[in-house]
Amino acid sequence: MMNKKHLIGEGFKHVFLMTLSLLCVFPFYWMIVGMTNSSADITMGKLTFGNKLAENVTNAFNYSNLWRAFGNSLLLAVIVTGIGLLICSIAGYAFVVFPSRGKEILFLALIASMMVPFAAKIIPMFRMFSKMGLLNNYLAIILPAMFQPLGVFLIRQQIQDFPQETLEAARLDGASEYRIYRSIVKPNLSSAIAAALILIFIDNWNIVDQAVIFLREPYQQPLSVYLCQILEEQPDIFYAASVFYAVPVLLIFLMGQDYLIQGISMSGVKA
């Protein structure tokens, strides 16, 4: 009797998980199917593959300003990720190594800032950047995005597990804090840095609200925003461009998924 109940429970669990998996995979299936159909077929909701793949891909690559928008997205994501990783690693090191009465409160405030939605910051950020003359400037997106609390958290947690005796021995040998960080600590943060890199890059590759609010000129828009214009004009090209848009994120995730899992798990060992 128990075995029968156990089998029934396992069966329901597998059905439930398979249903969730199908729901997660369906948007990717719809995107790939859409890039093989015409705009009329897409509008009618056709769910089977068509014969327009080559035509849609060619038209997407030749679409006006597509490559410029892709370059804008890549520029913003690479700059923010590079600067953000540098700030996160140094800040995480400072939170652990340098003694200060208020550093734990400051760290908690930093983590709490992740719970503030972007909608609550739109008006003050817009007014501030307007007074600074940074509207229609990529700095309006880059400056706020450089500070990544999640990246600081991941790196700080992993540094906490680093043997403090090693750092003390290096100081006794006359090594500066910069040399200790560069030569001893940083080489041992590869998993946390890789995890932060993936999360920061994906977050900034998918920006929409910031670009719509702070960038008014069409030639400045990243591909995440430009796709909306393509959808209104030609849905068949939109799906082909969407696949093209998803490729960099998928590549980075697939190449770094082991580091991502390791970095997050190691950062959660010690609170």
Side-chain angles (χ1 to χ4, degrees):
M1 189 68 179
M2 290 297 295
N3 289 335
K4 186 176 181 180
K5 289 183 178 180
H6 177 73
L7 290 174
I8 294 175
E10 288 294 315
F12 277 116
K13 183 172 70 174
H14 282 83
V15 170
F16 176 71
L17 292 175
M18 289 178 63
T19 304
L20 287 181
S21 300
L22 290 174
L23 290 175
C24 293
V25 172
F26 181 76
F28 294 97
Y29 173 79
W30 176 258
M31 181 173 63
I32 295 173
V33 167
M35 71 183 295
T36 67
N37 289 313
S38 64
S39 296
D41 291 333
I42 294 171
T43 304
M44 292 174 60
K46 182 181 177 182
L47 294 175
T48 57
F49 291 96
N51 58 0
K52 299 287 186 179
L53 176 62
E55 180 182 343
N56 290 340
V57 171
T58 302
N59 291 337
F61 284 166
N62 295 328
Y63 199 81
S64 175
N65 294 327
L66 178 72
W67 289 102
R68 176 189 287 274
F70 179 83
N72 293 339
S73 292
L74 191 63
L75 176 68
L76 289 170
V78 169
I79 291 177
V80 171
T81 302
I83 299 176
L85 282 178
L86 179 63
I87 294 175
C88 288
S89 60
I90 294 176
Y93 177 76
F95 271 120
V96 175
V97 172
F98 298 118
S100 174
R101 288 184 177 180
K103 69 176 183 180
E104 293 301 328
I105 297 176
L106 182 60
F107 180 72
L108 291 175
L110 180 70
I111 299 303
S113 67
M114 291 193 296
M115 295 184 286
V116 180
F118 179 74
K121 300 181 286 186
I122 291 177
I123 295 177
M125 288 176 64
F126 183 85
R127 295 185 62 181
M128 179 178 67
F129 289 134
S130 178
K131 291 180 180 180
M132 295 172 64
L134 293 180
L135 295 182
N136 294 329
N137 192 312
Y138 286 140
L139 288 176
I141 295 177
I142 294 173
L143 290 177
M146 290 191 308
F147 305 97
Q148 297 285 337
L150 181 57
V152 176
F153 172 79
L154 292 175
I155 294 173
R156 181 252 192 187
Q157 295 299 96
Q158 190 163 340
I159 294 177
Q160 278 192 323
D161 294 328
F162 195 84
Q164 298 300 312
E165 296 80 7
T166 304
L167 305 183
E168 292 296 335
R171 294 189 185 98
L172 292 175
D173 288 339
S176 64
E177 290 296 336
Y178 173 72
R179 185 176 178 184
I180 293 173
Y181 163 77
R182 184 193 64 185
S183 304
I184 301 176
V185 178
K186 189 177 179 182
N188 292 280
L189 297 177
S190 56
S191 58
I193 290 178
L197 183 150
I198 294 170
L199 295 174
I200 295 173
F201 183 89
I202 292 176
D203 183 44
N204 288 279
W205 181 260
N206 294 324
I207 58 170
V208 174
D209 296 338
Q210 299 93 317
V212 170
I213 293 170
F214 300 131
L215 303 177
R216 302 294 182 82
E217 299 296 335
Y219 68 88
Q220 295 178 312
Q221 297 292 350
L223 188 53
S224 53
V225 176
Y226 191 62
L227 284 174
C228 298
Q229 178 180 335
I230 300 177
L231 176 62
E232 293 176 357
E233 297 175 355
Q234 292 183 278
D236 50 353
I237 296 179
F238 164 78
Y239 286 101
S242 296
V243 174
F244 177 60
Y245 171 72
V247 167
V249 172
L250 290 176
L251 287 177
I252 288 180
F253 178 77
L254 292 175
M255 290 188 296
Q257 60 180 330
D258 292 337
Y259 290 103
L260 177 62
I261 296 171
Q262 183 181 4
I264 293 177
S265 61
M266 291 182 66
S267 297
V269 170
K270 186 174 181 180

